[in-house]
Amino acid sequence: MSDSAKPTLMVIDGHSLAFRAFYALPVDSFVNREGQHTNAIHGFISMLLMLLQREKPTHLAVAFDISRFSFRTREYAEYKGTRSETPAEFKGQIPLLQQALEAMGITTVTKEDFEADDILATLSKQGADQGFQVFVVSGDRDAIQLVNDDVTLLYPSVRGVSELTRYDRDKVYERYGIEPHQYPDIAALVGETSDNLIGVDKVGEKTAVKWVTQYGSLDGVLEHADDIKGVVGNNLREQKDRAIRNRRLNRLVTDVELPVGPADVALRPLDEAAVRELFATLQFRTLLDRVFKVVGSGDPTDPSTTDGSVEDAGPTPPPVKTLIDEELGYWLERKAAADAENGFGVAVEMIDGRLSAIGIATHDDAVLVPGGSGAQDYEQLSAWFASDAPKHFHDAKAAIKALGTVGITVAGVAGDARITGWLANPGKQGQPLADLVYQELGEELPTADPNQLVPETDPVNVGVHAWYVLRVVTALRARVDPTSLTVLDDIELPLTSVLARMETTGVGIDRPVLTGLSHELGERAADLAQQAFGEIGHEVNLGSPKQLQEVLFTELAMPKTRKTKTGFSTDAASLTDLQEQHPHPFLGLLLQHRDATKLRQIVDTLDAAVVDGRIHTRYEQTGTSTGRVSSTDPNLQNIPVKTAVGRRIRSAFAVAEPYTTLLTADYSQIEMRIMAHLSGDAGLIQAFNEGEDLHRFVGARVFGVEPSDVSPEMRTKVKAMSYGLAYGLSAFGLSKQLRIEQSEARTLMTEYFARFGAVRDYLRNVVEQAREDGYTETIFGRRRPFPDLKSPNRVLRENAERAALNAPIQGSAADIMKIAMLGVDADLRDGGLGSRLLLQVHDELILEIAPGEQDRVEDILRTRMGGAAELTVPLDVSVGVGANWEAAAH
DNA sequence: CGCTTAACGTA
DNA sequence: CGTACGTTAAGCGT
């Protein structure tokens, strides 16, 4: 068998190569947005791709050390003892690198008590014995001993990771003048500083090679020790134990028991989704393209995929029958009896905003109902959708809205793959069905060929999707923890219909208000811009931070502000600071211009979103990691309120006929109340139970004065402190926000915690508990994992700590609001009221009130919102009414 | 055209 | 060196 016909096995010392890469590439240039260093990962993968292209291995394994301890350190405690602590920036990269390799379909191997080199030695020996051509890639010189006719060592050169020296037998002889197997004998005599193995004094490479060549081996040298003259001879005789010890330690173990052998590490297709996701977080863009080019897409039909084997495709979908309504009636009846427990998977397809097809599936059957024009076509179907028959979706809310367009009402929402996946992993928001299918079932969701010019409904249709939905939901439910299931069944699934209705309803807009504001703000902005240009003598794009930097820091030579990635900050806080240190009319005009253009932009965006006099936002139910809903297209949860002009924007959100008024209801200080409840802090609980102004009460305690003597300044300070608490605020942050000295901020915090100590204990405990459990939990059992609490990377870890401390508070508030919404919606509908929910802004609900219903609706809101949770403090709800959002504020 | 960044609005 | 979001324009690379 010629070499070219042999399978090629490549084994890599992951740790040593990554370490080389770490020092070859600048640490600071490779940091992702989360502060994670990535230079070693980048360098390693880059080198790996180069190796794959050049050597074309058919089999590949990457070995890692588990720790710096092994049988060698037990035998000789000083082994590798001179090595300084691995830099923290490096350590955190190894697990990520291992993840990346797994995603790329590359086997990683570790073994307790052994070093990566021993794994290399074992695999290379087995590989050679089994007829592989073997490449060993290692930055450890001990690996030279592995070289033989079948094994080549690729050793990184001093010039960096991109260049590797090929050591075959000839090259080893050329470089050292010995056979590869003699290398450890040489090294034993000379010693290896990096392993803290001291050799025989005065014996260097030349002497060692001379001796070993003369006597054949270290044993031979020691046998003839008496023949060697001079000081070195003496040293050898006196220090031979060192050489013997060194030789024992540098012998690589070739019979480590490993979970895999060479034949098991054939290159597999990569996991495209996982690679994309991981590389996105690592911010490796060009590497991503290279990976796909070199390793292949993972598509078994892709000729660039290195491995030809096809993964088990899993069960195949049942053939999908296209049924008309009457046939469907029989089908549903028959299946309902057989699949009462499992329920049905449902998928809908929209083309150009019209419902084009509905798919329904059981575990072994699937049907498709073509889209039609009206509800009369869907008699059986409508009845079934309105029944309690358990239905599972991927994005139930979207399906409910789609079905609503043809007059179908949906009840019996029993599952939602998207939401379940999100509850299991709230960090990943709203995964597509295909991702969940791959993740939970290990299968590829069939999709239409994008190159097809005329899309065919067969064989990839919503019937097939419905079948996958049912399977994925089943898999996810089985995997999710029981407390998350409660949140799913009791809160999220019932909420889908409520949100769907709110989206469909939309909120009325008084367009003339918006148009007027837009003109007014436009003129104001233009005027301010002209004035600003006058101050600096030329025009400039005031919306361009880059051009502003040129004006501020070069032309006007102002002191430099906070650094950003691309230069120096021109944000409002920085400009305000500048104005104090270095007053200039341009700064004030710029700030005002920013304000005017920002508001105008908001106004214009809103105006563009109006359809038939109303704006229909979309609530993203899986859009946050804490449990809140978010709002998009447009975002109605960030409409200005703090400034006078901002409030005028709110006045454009107006009641529309036949409704008579808008009503807003919000929770006051819900997060502080949750903190009081969760911490059990007696002082805080007392504050809420006495019903006194919270910040006044807290201020009185902190500053040791009567509540009536709390000054506005004192109130501002404790207010900032209280709010900051739930975010993990530091003395530094507090001082910056309040523009006070850090020492004063520190004193404020000390005083605060002296009075409200249970709060501090609670916050500390949340993080501690989360570190132990690996997740946080809200009052209602919504969980959020926090793997980074154990990260060696400080930035990552401390970010996770603050997020973990906030998660139960923000999340519990979100749960409470959701429960309240369910109650309010149910009462309104059960009570036959015409009033309806329109908007939710985290702790506030906005409703449209039908004539004569105001008192009843207000009563429902107070009852349902106030009673959404039983806390040790009351949930205070304040209600306002008016013709528009601004007028209804309180 | 798509992507990233800076900036800024809300709770 | 305060959590959670979404949107926009500018700027850059393709």
Side-chain angles (χ1 to χ4, degrees), chain A residues 710-769:
Chain A
V710 174
S711 68
E713 291 76 27
M714 289 153 95
R715 192 174 179 282
T716 306
K717 283 175 184 168
V718 293
K719 188 177 171 185
M721 172 84 203
S722 289
Y723 278 118
L725 275 181
Y727 303 147
L729 187 68
S730 65
F732 176 88
L734 186 64
S735 73
K736 233 175 91 175
Q737 199 207 324
L738 291 172
R739 304 178 136 254
I740 58 177
E741 289 299 313
Q742 253 192 79
S743 56
E744 192 190 339
R746 200 159 301 140
T747 312
L748 181 62
M749 290 182 84
T750 313
E751 287 297 316
Y752 196 103
F753 284 134
R755 304 291 181 276
F756 303 94
V759 174
R760 178 192 43 200
D761 297 344
Y762 162 72
L763 293 171
R764 270 194 200 147
N765 185 253
V766 169
V767 176
E768 181 54 38
Q769 192 68 40

Side-chain angles (χ1 to χ4, degrees), chain A residues 178 182 185-186 189-190 200-218 220-222 224-225 227-237 243:
Chain A
I178 49 155
Q182 293 174 311
D185 294 344
I186 311 288
L189 288 163
V190 178
V200 176
D201 291 344
K202 301 287 174 195
V203 175
E205 192 182 303
K206 287 217 172 116
T207 314
V209 168
K210 193 178 78 188
W211 290 349
V212 170
T213 312
Q214 191 176 348
Y215 301 112
S217 67
L218 177 63
V221 175
L222 294 174
H224 297 89
D227 305 346
I228 297 169
K229 301 188 198 84
V231 187
V232 279
N234 263 333
N235 289 352
L236 175 64
R237 286 183 288 277

Side-chain angles (χ1 to χ4, degrees), chain A residues 36-54:
Chain A
Q36 169 68 51
H37 293 279
T38 56
N39 63 330
I41 308 171
H42 195 283
F44 186 100
I45 292 175
S46 171
M47 183 208 63
L48 178 64
L49 294 175
M50 185 266 295
L51 282 169
L52 286 171
Q53 272 176 313
R54 203 184 289 171

Side-chain angles (χ1 to χ4, degrees), chain A residues 663-666 858 861-862 865 877-881 888-890:
Chain A
L663 183 148
T664 73
D666 62 46
E858 181 171 342
L861 280 164
R862 291 193 183 280
M865 289 177 75
V877 179
S878 50
V879 174
V881 293
H890 27 264

Side-chain angles (χ1 to χ4, degrees), chain A residues 413 487-499 501 822:
Chain A
V413 177
V487 175
L488 176 70
D489 293 332
D490 297 350
I491 301 179
E492 302 297 349
L493 292 178
L495 193 66
T496 55
S497 320
V498 178
L499 292 175
R501 270 194 294 279
L822 293 174

